[in-house]
Amino acid sequence: MISLKGVSKIYNMGKGTEVQALRDVDLQVREGDFISITGPSGSGKSTLLHILAGLDTPTGGEYLFEDLDVARTSDRVKCHLRNRKIGIVLQDFGLLGDDTALENVALPLIIGGVRRREAKSRSARVLEEVGIAELSGKRVNELSGGQRQRVAVARALVQDAKLLLADEPTGALDSGSASALMDLFERLNAGGLTIITVTHNPAVAERTPVSYSIVDGVIHSERGGE
Ligand SMILES: Nc1ncnc2c1ncn2[C@@H]1O[C@H](COP(=O)(O)OP(=O)(O)O)[C@@H](O)[C@H]1O
Ligand SMILES: [Mg+2]
């Protein structure tokens, strides 16, 4: 599904100062994989996830998604990739607090031109899939961290994404909610969803069949990877 070869990312800070966030990253992901990438703050996790999502472009190396050369493709194709194949849960969730869970999940569909009625029924189905059907009419501001995280996952999956990318999904959760979220990820993965999560939490890494570590932008296979 994914092949990264020699991917690097250098941020140019101006005045000749550069920050190298990723160094020569090789990563192969097969459909159905469930992968964690663990590393300390500042190690390059979010940068890597943003590149995988097509939100950011590597400064070197090659990124293929299903044989599509992502770095060299048009913005329109990248948008399509993000809208239809890849679901991303960002570190701060990015939900609209005054809107209901259902409205938040339906938003990408409505922006994509799906009729309201169909958008609502599809969103309700995904909320059920992530285990919070009964909260669909609640405003996001009224939900707990764990419940919000499920809304964010539902929104990422509502367009039938085949790859879920999650940035520190348990970062704001207590250990019980974190473990419940990993149960959900396991269930979604058993249903065929490919998942890559980056985290600084070793408890997350213990729960995934494949795990990598990342330190100073360099990735190492820890378990199950190549
Ligand atoms: N937009 C940016 N501009 C400049 N430097 C950045 C930017 N984003 C991240 N960095 C730097 O790149 C490195 C990796 O950051 P990041 O990928 O956010 O790490 P992590 O998610 O593991 O905490 C850090 O040194 C960070 O300061
Ligand atoms: Mg980060």
Side-chain angles (χ1 to χ4, degrees):
M1 181 183 241
I2 283 176
S3 166
L4 295 186
K5 289 215 176 94
V7 164
S8 63
K9 177 72 185 181
I10 296 171
Y11 291 109
N12 193 332
M13 310 298 287
K15 294 182 186 157
T17 315
E18 291 180 339
V19 175
Q20 181 148 19
L22 296 176
R23 292 167 201 269
D24 206 16
V25 170
D26 292 338
L27 180 67
Q28 308 294 316
V29 181
R30 282 156 308 193
E31 209 162 324
D33 276 351
F34 183 11
I35 296 175
S36 61
I37 302 170
T38 316
S41 178
S43 56
K45 303 183 297 294
S46 295
T47 302
L48 178 57
L49 212 72
H50 292 169
I51 287 174
L52 290 170
L55 290 167
D56 207 344
T57 311
T59 42
E62 183 184 64
Y63 170 24
L64 301 181
F65 183 94
E66 292 179 338
D67 298 325
L68 177 78
D69 187 342
V70 178
R72 283 169 196 83
T73 194
S74 67
D75 284 347
R76 198 179 57 81
V77 173
K78 258 188 272 195
C79 267
H80 178 80
L81 190 69
R82 258 197 323 273
N83 288 339
R84 307 308 301 268
K85 303 231 168 157
I86 301 177
I88 181 161
V89 178
L90 295 171
Q91 216 162 345
D92 61 0
F93 306 170
L95 299 170
L96 303 172
D98 288 332
D99 287 358
T100 66
L102 187 80
E103 286 163 347
N104 271 275
V105 175
L107 194 60
L109 294 174
I110 287 172
I111 291 170
V114 175
R115 287 164 189 274
R116 241 156 235 283
R117 210 186 149 88
E118 192 197 333
K120 283 195 169 175
S121 69
R122 276 171 67 179
S123 303
R125 219 178 311 136
V126 184
L127 281 166
E128 188 171 354
E129 208 180 315
V130 302
I132 51 168
E134 73 286 1
L135 300 175
S136 63
K138 283 246 186 216
R139 293 192 311 149
V140 163
N141 281 338
E142 302 169 66
L143 302 179
S144 71
Q147 292 166 341
R148 286 179 200 196
Q149 189 59 278
R150 278 166 198 260
V151 175
V153 171
R155 189 186 50 185
L157 297 180
V158 75
Q159 297 184 100
D160 299 322
K162 49 204 303 197
L163 169 66
L164 178 69
L165 301 172
D167 197 349
E168 304 277 7
T170 64
L173 307 184
D174 61 79
S175 63
S177 310
S179 168
L181 184 75
M182 292 309 289
D183 292 342
L184 170 65
F185 279 9
E186 265 174 15
R187 190 158 55 70
L188 292 170
N189 176 246
L193 183 69
T194 307
I195 303 177
I196 305 174
T197 178
V198 302
T199 178
H200 63 259
N201 182 358
V204 168
E206 280 165 23
R207 298 274 310 259
T208 64
V210 178
S211 80
Y212 290 85
S213 62
I214 184 167
V215 178
D216 291 336
V218 180
I219 198 165
H220 303 275
S221 171
E222 294 292 329
R223 181 164 31 81
E226 284 161 27

